[in-house]
Amino acid sequence: MENKSEIMSRYPIIADLIAGMPENIWAGSKMINLKRGEQIFEHGVNVTHVYILCKGTAVISSHHASGNEARVVFVGAGNTIGEMEACSHENTMKYSARAYTSCDVFVLSRNAFVEWIDSDHAACRIMVLVLAKKLRDASMEVSEYMQYDAIVRIATLIHSEECGRLAMTRQELAETCGVSVRTINRCLTRLKAEKMIGISRGKIFITPQQKQLLAKSSYNFNNLN
């Protein structure tokens, strides 16, 4: 593991959080780099680690009894993942997490995290504030997001992407939007018919002009608030 001061300098958003981390815990931690789409952990796995997002965005998804996956919330740099399970003595993860963009993630074991928070009051206070904000954001986003039709969810997601070919597969779109692949296909057909996206050989494309159309359309839920 690199020197703590180097990590704090590279990722100032977590500097205050890790500043007082004891050396024995620091020595057992590690940094990982994830590409877009890589899994951080899956639903049902044992709770073994806590993750601190230093750079990038991750998407947290819950699972229904039907087997479908529904997006809960996006989390950005400075947030932690898995800390609730670690502190509440849960044995398995109740949701999945994956890199929505490329991510740099600080990883420490569950036991090390609990020991650290127990011994570092400053870090404990920061964790309480981070957790409170995450719970508030998740609650607000779920209640707002899930009330919209599937086509609004997918159109808004596509609009947030860069122009060109979408990197996400239809399965990933379905998981992120909390609908079936069949519903995704139906919505994509409709968006293509209205010339808001392009589809070639099964791949989804969006041009700057189409992105402007989506931004102004009734399918962008930012226009519905």
Side-chain angles (χ1 to χ4, degrees):
M1 187 65 177
E2 295 179 63
N3 182 278
K4 187 191 297 184
S5 61
E6 294 176 354
I7 296 294
M8 292 170 62
S9 176
R10 186 182 307 162
Y11 307 108
I13 196 166
I14 68 164
D16 289 343
L17 178 61
I18 67 173
M21 181 180 286
E23 288 304 316
N24 65 309
I25 294 176
W26 177 263
S29 61
K30 62 181 180 181
M31 287 290 303
I32 61 173
N33 307 110
L34 300 176
K35 296 178 181 178
R36 177 183 177 128
E38 282 194 88
Q39 207 77 26
I40 300 174
F41 56 79
E42 295 183 349
H43 165 259
V45 301
N46 291 336
V47 180
T48 57
H49 292 84
V50 173
Y51 308 84
I52 303 174
L53 199 56
C54 303
K55 179 183 177 182
T57 302
V59 61
I60 308 299
S61 302
S62 63
H63 288 252
H64 297 299
S66 64
N68 289 335
E69 191 171 293
R71 188 189 76 174
V72 175
V73 69
F74 287 115
V75 294
N79 282 285
T80 52
I81 306 173
E83 78 290 346
M84 290 185 286
E85 289 74 16
C87 291
S88 60
H89 306 293
E90 292 284 344
N91 292 322
T92 59
M93 289 294 188
K94 301 300 188 288
Y95 54 91
S96 298
R98 62 180 169 83
Y100 186 70
T101 66
S102 59
C103 294
D104 295 346
V105 185
F106 185 91
V107 185
L108 63 163
S109 73
R110 170 184 186 158
N111 291 339
F113 174 79
V114 173
E115 180 184 344
W116 170 39
I117 295 302
D118 282 346
S119 64
D120 187 341
H121 293 168
C124 183
R125 181 177 182 278
I126 293 172
M127 286 301 308
V128 168
L129 296 176
V130 168
L131 180 57
K133 183 180 185 302
K134 184 162 67 173
L135 290 173
R136 177 182 178 275
D137 289 348
S139 177
M140 291 181 66
E141 184 168 347
V142 168
S143 61
E144 178 183 28
Y145 185 78
M146 296 306 290
Q147 69 178 300
Y148 294 113
D149 292 339
I151 195 166
V152 174
R153 300 184 211 172
I154 187 172
T156 302
L157 180 60
I158 290 174
H159 177 260
S160 70
E161 296 289 314
E162 297 292 332
C163 292
R165 183 171 69 86
L166 260 66
M168 298 179 74
T169 66
R170 298 189 186 209
Q171 180 63 43
E172 289 172 335
L173 287 172
E175 292 172 355
T176 304
C177 294
V179 297
S180 67
V181 174
R182 180 180 297 179
T183 298
I184 291 293
N185 290 334
R186 185 173 65 248
C187 292
L188 292 175
T189 298
R190 183 171 171 183
L191 291 171
K192 181 184 178 183
E194 297 187 29
K195 302 187 185 305
M196 294 187 183
I197 62 169
I199 300 177
S200 177
R201 296 182 179 179
K203 304 298 183 181
I204 308 162
F205 295 83
I206 182 168
T207 66
Q209 293 76 19
Q210 290 169 330
K211 194 166 186 175
Q212 289 179 4
L213 285 177
L214 273 178
K216 297 175 182 177
S217 76
S218 60
Y219 299 139
N220 187 337
F221 77 55
N222 294 313
N223 296 334
L224 303 177
N225 296 327

